[in-house]
Amino acid sequence: MIGMHEAVADATQLGVFFGTWQASGPKRAVASPIDGREIGQLMTASAVDCERVIAAASDAFLAWRTVPAPKRADIVRQIGEALRRDKEELALLVTREMGKHIREALGEVQEMIDICDFATGLGRQIGGLTLPSERAGHRLMEQWHPLGVVGVVTAFNFPVAVWAWNLALALVCGDTVIWKPSSKTPLSAIFCTRLAARVLSENGVPPAVASLLIGPGREIGDRLIEDPRVALVSYTGSVATGRHVGVAVQRRFGRAILELGGNAAVIVSEKGDLQQALEAVYFGVIGTSGQRCTTTRRVIVQESVMPRFLDGLLRLMERTRIGDPREPDVHMGPMVDGAAVETMMAAVAAADKQGGRVLHGGQRLPLPGGCYVTPCVIEAGNDLSIVQQETFAPILYVMPYTDIDQAIALQNGVPQGLSSAIFTKDLMEAERFTGPNGSDCGLANVNAGTVGAEIGGAFGGEKETGGGREAGSDAWKAYMRRQTSVINGSGRIELAQGIRLSV
Ligand code: UN1
């Protein structure tokens, strides 16, 4: 039997959907980083397609916004059910298309299911407050209304989950979505869009509620972010592109959720459990081949435990099995493409030149496809320019500290502010780390690593990470229009602030 995964991956696919599938831009091949083999052909979007998609999503919004939120939430529940059914197939496609280990791809699809469950409950909770009015017989209240079209621009590393975080919330909030996935992962996006379209049409909802637009960022993406019909742009990706997106959206006073680069550090205190710290740091480096925005890029180790920590870490690194990410015994699959490998090699060379000392790895492996590397551990000072920037690769910079204040200063001493962690059993240290003068990141964990955030919390970070929040908690508020109303049931006009006007 040919599964949906095969059907997606083997025929020429159309990269544009707004109720119908069509695409009039250039055609291109899609290759797998596992072995370099072609896994599909894709027709990309043209400027004309882009206009059609934005018009259809704007049109669909007019109807969708009037559907009661609990009914919209029920449709999101059904998308979650469909994902449960197709979990293995979608995970395999993600693995084939961008190379993360199948274990992690299954986790990514689970994240999609989780956010659908979360958003289903939100359908009956996205209410506002009723507040005391200063005027007798008046009611002061706020409502949350649907916002409009949401442009969701996602990266290759979480090719499906980040769309789901945005889609699930946007749909419950009454918005429509135009998804521009990474050009590196079009097939996974097509699979997901088909799945959502099936559920939407089964429920008689215009499928343009979940539209798709695959094409180059500088052409198709720019049209999307600059269009005033797109009320909110949710962008996940690099700091450089995020700066471009943020400015373009702000220029037209649109809204943006930016989830940009990270430079996560783990602080390992002598008062922590060393074995647990080792496991968390190890997975934080090699998971998704170092291509998560939460990837552990720095480890700040208390001097007294540095020799033991390094010994344990290098032992784990040496045992890393690198290869086909569909094999259960493999720890780390390929990087996404040859360019990612080049970037990693350039960073290792730069660290070496700037005074870092390579302790392990950082080499290419001669495997088919040319995207395999060994994870790299480098002893380096926090102030090296290469350490200050995010290299999307399995490179860990190791640095020592003496006291907790110094450790926190090092952790915060980078331009990014997404994820951070401390390993300690000392309550004072943990409180210091999570307090107002502690970690300056959006995520600050105690005795848990920097990767693998749960969807129940708000996800995102500060400084160059962009300040946006997605997924859980009250992140839904960014997807809605807040309206404050005064309802006067007093039978006479009374001005606020005690102003009296005799007419
Ligand atoms: C990302 O890398 O863009 O916390 C998202 C994590 C995942 C999401 C990462 N739940 O590592």
Side-chain angles (χ1 to χ4, degrees), residues 100 107-108 111 155 157-158 161-162 165 236-237 259-260 283 288 291-295 392 418-419 443 450-455 459 470:
K100 71 169 66 172
E108 175 165 1
E111 234 177 276
N157 65 330
F158 274 79
V162 175
W165 298 350
T236 304
E259 204 264 279
L260 313 176
F283 181 68
T288 322
Q291 301 166 114
R292 291 191 190 216
C293 48
T294 54
T295 291
F392 230 44
L418 178 59
S419 189
L443 309 167
T450 62
V451 297
E454 302 174 22
I455 60 90
F459 183 86
E470 298 171 299

Side-chain angles (χ1 to χ4, degrees), residues 211-457:
S211 296
L212 179 68
L213 194 55
I214 305 177
R218 282 286 155 159
E219 201 183 312
I220 298 303
D222 277 1
R223 281 179 188 275
L224 191 66
I225 64 175
E226 282 164 11
D227 197 303
R229 289 170 293 180
V230 180
L232 169 67
V233 173
S234 175
Y235 172 79
T236 304
S238 70
V239 170
T241 308
R243 188 169 280 124
H244 167 71
V245 172
V247 170
V249 175
Q250 184 58 39
R251 196 178 292 127
R252 61 176 178 85
F253 300 113
R255 263 192 218 179
I257 297 174
L258 301 176
E259 204 264 279
L260 313 176
N263 197 343
V266 171
I267 297 173
V268 181
S269 160
E270 62 186 12
K271 294 171 185 145
D273 184 310
L274 211 60
Q275 189 52 36
Q276 285 174 20
L278 277 169
E279 281 173 36
V281 169
Y282 179 64
F283 181 68
V285 178
I286 66 148
T288 322
S289 305
Q291 301 166 114
R292 291 191 190 216
C293 48
T294 54
T295 291
T296 309
R297 310 210 175 279
R298 298 172 296 144
V299 64
I300 305 166
V301 186
Q302 197 153 18
E303 261 169 353
S304 50
V305 287
M306 180 65 101
R308 268 168 58 219
F309 180 83
L310 265 187
D311 189 52
L313 182 69
L314 296 182
R315 226 178 292 179
L316 282 174
M317 288 288 169
E318 269 147 29
R319 289 211 302 258
T320 307
R321 283 188 294 272
I322 299 153
D324 189 324
R326 294 166 295 191
E327 296 295 333
D329 287 350
V330 161
H331 298 121
M332 189 173 99
M335 299 190 71
V336 68
D337 56 18
V341 175
E342 292 302 328
T343 304
M344 174 173 176
M345 295 306 139
V348 174
D352 182 60
K353 205 162 148 218
Q354 291 171 22
R357 196 161 66 92
V358 177
L359 304 179
H360 175 86
Q363 279 118 16
R364 298 167 201 268
L365 287 176
L367 291 170
C371 297
Y372 294 87
V373 296
T374 48
C376 186
V377 179
I378 304 179
E379 206 174 57
N382 202 49
D383 51 351
L384 299 191
S385 69
I386 195 68
V387 176
Q388 292 283 314
Q389 73 195 47
E390 178 190 50
T391 303
F392 230 44
I395 302 175
L396 179 70
Y397 301 109
V398 188
M399 55 199 79
Y401 80 90
T402 45
D403 66 69
I404 184 73
D405 290 339
Q406 187 202 2
I408 290 172
L410 286 169
Q411 138 65 38
N412 292 344
V414 289
Q416 311 82 357
L418 178 59
S419 189
S420 60
I422 189 168
F423 279 80
T424 182
K425 289 181 183 167
D426 183 296
L427 184 63
M428 303 300 166
E429 282 188 344
E431 282 295 310
R432 172 83 174 79
F433 181 73
T434 50
N437 55 350
S439 162
D440 63 4
C441 292
L443 309 167
N445 299 331
V446 178
N447 299 326
T450 62
V451 297
E454 302 174 22
I455 60 90

